């Protein structure tokens, strides 16, 4: 919302963004044409976050689809209703073609139905190489390796081994949320331009939330399909995972905002969650501030004599990631939230280690702890 003098009215952080449709959003199986030829639809998620936004882009006599929703019967039914409503050819029924199936990144809510849609619509998957590889790889992980690797990693970082074991006892949950991603794909690279319905969409790659997340930028009409890279109300999960324990995803994430530096603040942003908005640079600034505050809070918890730490002989606080989670998350966390919280905490610890504020090492009790450098 804008105030009378044209500057954003600042109440809560998200109020400083402009939501062109207010709180309006498409109901299940309905669409809103958010820009000429760009149709916004929503699919359900059964998490605290209860929806994902997807996009249908008019493309000549057909449509390109951006992202797919989770593999749920309910989502499939909603897609079929949309195809009937838009007269889209599917499952042998004649109609308008789907020219491309574009997926921003490998997370289940984005790629979950790509395999199903790809077959049903006889189209092709367009995706960056790393996201395709991640989707293919994670689908094939065995339950046992997934369970053991994750549980050991979280125990190394200070979570009680029994809790870590229980947390990941479900094994490969990724495979249960996605249809097998298509074997054949068309590779998207940073800087590629896709011509869709008379618009030129440039691929801008973001990192940190996912390794090679594709965003679509139309400079002609100032529209950004931002995926999860830039969200208006929440910040995307930035986590260190067992598969790459030395990663510094927060450094990657904040660094990749440089790829968005040239975008005008009044561009229309179409995010995967919550509402379309204007104010992309404002929002990037808010997200950077959000992480800066958390980094300060976290490093403050390592200050000499901190009551949260167990001081060593020198009196310095030494904390594992599990010890440090309450510094970042002050609310009670259930088991599912704890998984994400540990990953996020590790991402912030890795950032502080990377900039030289903290040093981590393995203690004789087999737990990795950090202290001030
Ligand atoms: Zn995501």
């Amino acid at each position: 919302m804008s105030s009378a003098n044209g500057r954003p009215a600042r109440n809560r952080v998200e109020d400083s963004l402009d939501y062109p449709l207010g709180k309006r959003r498409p109901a299940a199986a309905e669409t809103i044409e958010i820009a000429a030829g760009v149709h916004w639809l929503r699919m359900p998620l059964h998490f605290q976050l209860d929806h994902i936004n997807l996009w249908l882009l008019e493309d000549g006599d057909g449509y390109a689809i951006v992202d797919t929703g989770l593999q749920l019967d309910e989502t499939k039914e909603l897609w079929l209703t949309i195809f009937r409503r838009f007269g889209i050819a599917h499952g042998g029924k004649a109609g308008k073609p789907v020219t491309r199936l574009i997926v921003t990144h490998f997370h289940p809510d984005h790629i979950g139905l790509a395999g199903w849609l790809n077959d049903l619509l006889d189209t092709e998957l367009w995706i960056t190489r790393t996201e395709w590889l991640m989707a293919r790889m994670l689908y094939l992980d065995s339950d046992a390796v997934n369970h053991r690797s994750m549980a050991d990693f979280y125990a190394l970082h200070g979570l009680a081994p029994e809790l870590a074991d229980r947390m990941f006892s479900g094994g490969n949950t990724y495979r249960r949320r996605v249809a097998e991603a298509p074997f054949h794909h068309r590779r998207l690279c940073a800087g590629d331009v896709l011509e869709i319905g008379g618009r030129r969409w440039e691929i801008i790659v973001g990192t940190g939330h996912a390794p090679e997340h594709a965003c679509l930028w139309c400079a002609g009409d100032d529209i950004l399909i931002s995926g999860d890279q830039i969200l208006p109300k929440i910040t995307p999960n930035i986590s260190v995972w067992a598969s790459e324990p030395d990663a510094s995803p927060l450094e990657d994430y904040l660094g990749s905002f440089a790829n968005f530096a040239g975008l005008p603040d009044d561009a229309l942003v179409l995010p995967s969650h919550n509402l379309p908005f204007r104010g992309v640079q404002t929002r990037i600034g808010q997200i950077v501030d959000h992480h800066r505050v958390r980094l300060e809070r976290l490093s403050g918890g390592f200050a000499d004599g901190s009551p949260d730490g167990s001081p060593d002989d020198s009196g310095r606080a030494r904390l594992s990631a599990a010890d440090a989670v309450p510094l970042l998350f002050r609310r009670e966390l259930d088991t599912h939230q704890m998984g994400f919280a540990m990953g996020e905490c590790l991402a912030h610890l890795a950032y502080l280690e990377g900039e030289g504020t903290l040093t981590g090492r393995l203690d004789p009790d087999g737990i990795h702890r950090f202290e001030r450098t």
Side-chain angles (χ1 to χ4, degrees), residues 38-315:
V38 178
H39 302 267
W40 168 26
L41 58 142
R42 284 190 153 192
M43 290 295 181
L45 300 181
H46 296 166
F47 309 122
Q48 198 175 12
L49 186 63
D50 63 2
H51 70 277
I52 177 170
N53 300 320
L54 312 176
W55 317 97
L56 277 182
L57 311 178
E58 291 178 13
D59 189 12
D61 62 348
Y63 295 91
I65 292 176
V66 182
D67 285 336
T68 74
L70 275 181
Q71 175 174 249
L72 298 171
D73 290 342
E74 192 181 347
T75 314
K76 290 180 181 176
E77 281 305 319
L78 290 167
W79 268 123
L80 293 171
T81 306
I82 300 258
F83 296 150
R84 285 191 289 270
R85 183 167 300 161
F86 280 78
I88 289 173
H90 63 282
K93 292 190 190 69
K96 300 172 185 170
V98 167
T99 54
R100 291 183 172 93
L101 178 57
I102 300 165
V103 168
T104 56
H105 65 296
F106 77 92
H107 291 159
D109 44 340
H110 299 260
I111 205 170
L113 280 178
W116 180 76
L117 287 169
N118 191 65
D119 292 345
L120 186 76
L121 302 169
D122 191 23
T123 186
E124 285 183 308
L125 171 67
W126 293 67
I127 187 169
T128 66
R129 176 182 280 169
T130 318
E131 299 299 329
W132 178 77
L133 287 169
M134 288 295 290
R136 297 283 307 174
M137 176 199 75
L138 285 175
Y139 189 84
L140 298 173
D141 264 2
S142 73
D143 284 331
V145 166
N146 192 295
H147 176 189
R148 199 64 275 137
S149 309
M150 293 297 288
D152 287 352
F153 181 64
Y154 276 49
L156 169 75
H157 285 290
L159 214 61
E162 317 76 57
L163 176 61
D165 192 66
R166 206 166 58 240
M167 236 155 93
F168 298 102
S169 59
N172 186 353
T173 53
Y174 185 82
R175 189 170 49 227
R176 288 192 277 286
R177 292 181 179 149
V178 302
E180 184 174 7
F183 184 80
H184 166 94
H185 75 291
R186 302 286 295 263
R187 183 181 173 193
L188 293 176
C189 296
D192 281 358
V193 173
L194 301 179
E195 303 250 0
I196 301 172
R199 283 198 176 94
R200 290 167 56 81
W201 295 90
E202 183 193 336
I203 302 301
I204 302 181
V205 163
T207 56
H209 173 66
E212 197 185 359
H213 178 304
C215 300
L216 283 80
W217 166 237
C218 174
D221 290 322
D222 287 346
I223 305 170
L224 177 71
I225 297 177
S226 65
D228 279 353
Q229 193 69 21
I230 302 169
L231 299 170
K233 212 174 157 188
I234 52 175
T235 55
N237 178 266
I238 310 291
S239 279
V240 176
W241 298 96
S243 51
E244 194 186 346
D246 294 333
S248 187
L250 184 57
E251 203 178 324
D252 294 342
Y253 180 64
L254 298 179
S256 73
F257 281 140
N259 302 338
F260 299 83
L263 273 52
D265 198 36
D266 63 355
L268 176 65
V269 184
L270 306 181
S272 292
H273 307 289
N274 302 119
L275 301 167
F277 69 97
R278 296 184 195 277
V280 63
Q281 300 302 345
T282 304
R283 184 58 188 148
I284 288 173
Q286 291 168 354
I287 294 173
V288 171
D289 287 349
H290 164 92
H291 288 293
R292 293 262 162 238
V293 166
R294 298 178 133 227
L295 286 165
E296 267 168 39
R297 201 193 296 163
L298 191 55
S299 70
F302 285 84
D304 293 355
S306 161
D308 296 302
S310 34
D312 65 9
D313 294 343
S314 68

